[in-house]
């Protein structure tokens, strides 16, 4: 039989061996587990790196596509803007050309109108006026020769009166069309005559003042100023109910200024202008001048035109 002490030592040795074996197995499994975990982590890392590389490549492609699309959009937008600018410039050029052509046409029409007025005025004065004058002389002689026949003399006197009125009407029409004094005596004399005629024919008193106005003004300046004053006074008579009007013409070394004012009922100068005012403005713009209208209801109207002028165009008196 074994001794009790020997069995205890044998059991302890066996337990120690078992523990060592278990520990060894645990260490082996731990190593294997670490290796397996390392391998799995490596695989995961490789997978993640592959996916990241793929995502990065996709992002680069998306960024490249976005940049390319943006560049194409910018280029397309720039091309469209350039096209619009060209079209706008082309249309603006066409509009400017059309406006210039209309201005030239308007200028030619005004020139033709003035030429026709001058021709008709001279025709009335020279042909019809002289014929009526000769008729008056003949009627006067017949009236003197028919003193012994009262009924004939009375009829001749009636005919003479009609002829005189007709002669005066023809003279007035000729002067309204184109006063000969505008060409013969100058602008100031024509304006003063116009003021006297308006005062005589209407209830509006017209005062004409001038300062330093040259007798050698070019014809287009004289015509423009005369027609402007004529239209302004006509408007004052027909529309404003004015009792007084004043015309002022002032010439300096660089411009000729015209100012026509009245004490009529006035109007709102911001409203749409009539054909008369538009015609005056068109005449002034033909000479590169400025035209302004100042008026408020109940406070009359003031028209001002300033025409640029060089001393080479006429002698300042």
């Amino acid at each position: 039989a074994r001794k009790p002490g020997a069995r205890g030592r044998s059991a302890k040795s066996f337990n120690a061996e078992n523990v060592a074996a278990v520990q060894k197995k645990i260490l082996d499994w731990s190593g294997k587990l670490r290796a397996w975990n390392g391998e799995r982590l490596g695989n995961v890392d490789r997978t993640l790196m592959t996916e990241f590389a793929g995502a990065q490549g996709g992002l680069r492609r998306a960024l490249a596509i976005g940049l390319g699309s943006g560049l194409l959009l910018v280029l397309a937008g720039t091309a469209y803007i350039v096209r619009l600018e060209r079209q706008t410039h082309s249309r603006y050029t066409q509009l400017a050309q059309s406006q210039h052509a209309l201005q030239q046409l308007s200028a030619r029409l005004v020139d033709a109108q003035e030429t026709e007025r001058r021709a008709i005025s001279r025709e009335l004065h020279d042909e019809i006026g002289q014929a009526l004058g000769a008729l008056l002389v003949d009627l006067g002689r017949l009236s003197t020769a028919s003193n012994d026949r009262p009924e004939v003399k009375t009829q001749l006197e009636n005919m003479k009166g009609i002829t005189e009125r007709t002669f005066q009407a023809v003279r007035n029409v000729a002067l309204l069309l184109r006063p000969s004094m505008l060409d013969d005596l100058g602008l100031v004399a024509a304006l003063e005559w116009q003021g006297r005629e308006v005062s005589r024919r209407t209830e509006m008193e017209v005062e004409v003042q001038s300062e330093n106005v040259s007798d050698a003004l070019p014809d287009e300046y004289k015509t423009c100023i005369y027609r402007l004053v004529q239209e302004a006074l006509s408007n004052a008579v027909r529309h404003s109910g004015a009792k007084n009007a004043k015309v002022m013409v002032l010439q300096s070394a660089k411009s000729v200024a015209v100012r026509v004012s009245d004490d009529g009922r006035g109007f709102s100068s911001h409203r749409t202008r009539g054909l008369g005012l538009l015609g005056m403005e068109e005449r002034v713009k033909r000479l590169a001048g400025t035209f302004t209208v100042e008026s408020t209801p109940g406070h009359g109207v003031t028209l001002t035109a300033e025409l640029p002028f060089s001393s080479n165009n006429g002698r300042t008196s």
Side-chain angles (χ1 to χ4, degrees), residues 88-272:
T88 303
H89 179 71
S90 176
R91 291 176 181 175
Y92 178 79
T93 302
Q94 293 176 356
L95 181 61
Q97 291 175 349
S98 300
Q99 187 175 8
H100 182 66
L102 287 175
Q103 290 176 347
Q104 289 183 330
L105 177 60
S106 177
R108 288 196 295 268
L109 288 175
V110 170
D111 291 338
Q113 183 185 49
E114 289 298 331
T115 301
E116 191 66 20
R117 283 183 171 185
R118 184 183 287 109
I120 295 174
S121 176
R122 288 178 178 175
E123 189 73 17
L124 289 174
H125 181 271
D126 296 340
E127 298 295 332
I128 299 178
Q130 290 181 6
L132 290 173
L135 181 59
L136 282 173
V137 173
D138 291 340
L139 288 174
R141 291 174 180 174
L142 288 174
S143 178
T144 302
S146 61
N147 289 331
D148 54 343
R149 301 181 63 182
E151 68 281 1
V152 175
K153 183 177 178 62
T154 301
Q155 189 65 31
L156 289 173
E157 290 295 334
N158 291 335
M159 294 172 63
K160 183 179 178 181
I162 294 173
T163 304
E164 288 177 345
R165 291 192 295 272
T166 304
F167 177 80
Q168 187 62 38
V170 170
R171 177 179 175 274
N172 291 338
V173 171
L175 290 174
L176 287 174
L177 285 172
R178 176 77 181 191
S180 57
M181 64 186 69
L182 185 61
D183 301 315
D184 300 334
L185 302 179
L187 175 63
V188 175
L191 292 178
E192 290 176 346
W193 169 83
Q194 187 180 73
R196 290 194 300 270
E197 284 296 302
V198 173
S199 298
R200 182 181 63 83
R201 291 185 288 102
T202 68
E203 297 180 355
M204 185 176 70
E205 291 295 326
V206 180
E207 178 185 2
V208 178
Q209 295 182 358
S210 61
E211 184 177 342
N212 208 33
V213 179
S214 171
D215 293 332
L217 275 174
D219 184 66
E220 59 268 23
Y221 279 77
K222 294 191 295 184
T223 302
C224 175
I225 295 171
Y226 182 84
R227 294 303 180 195
L228 188 148
V229 173
Q230 183 183 45
E231 183 66 26
L233 294 179
S234 176
N235 287 344
V237 171
R238 288 182 297 174
H239 305 301
S240 74
K243 297 299 181 182
N244 298 280
K246 184 176 181 180
V247 178
M248 181 67 185
V249 184
L250 173 63
Q251 180 177 335
S252 64
K254 296 183 179 180
S255 65
V256 180
V258 185
R259 182 184 178 93
V260 183
S261 57
D262 64 66
D263 59 358
R265 62 178 63 97
F267 63 94
S268 176
S269 59
H270 301 291
R271 71 182 185 184
T272 304

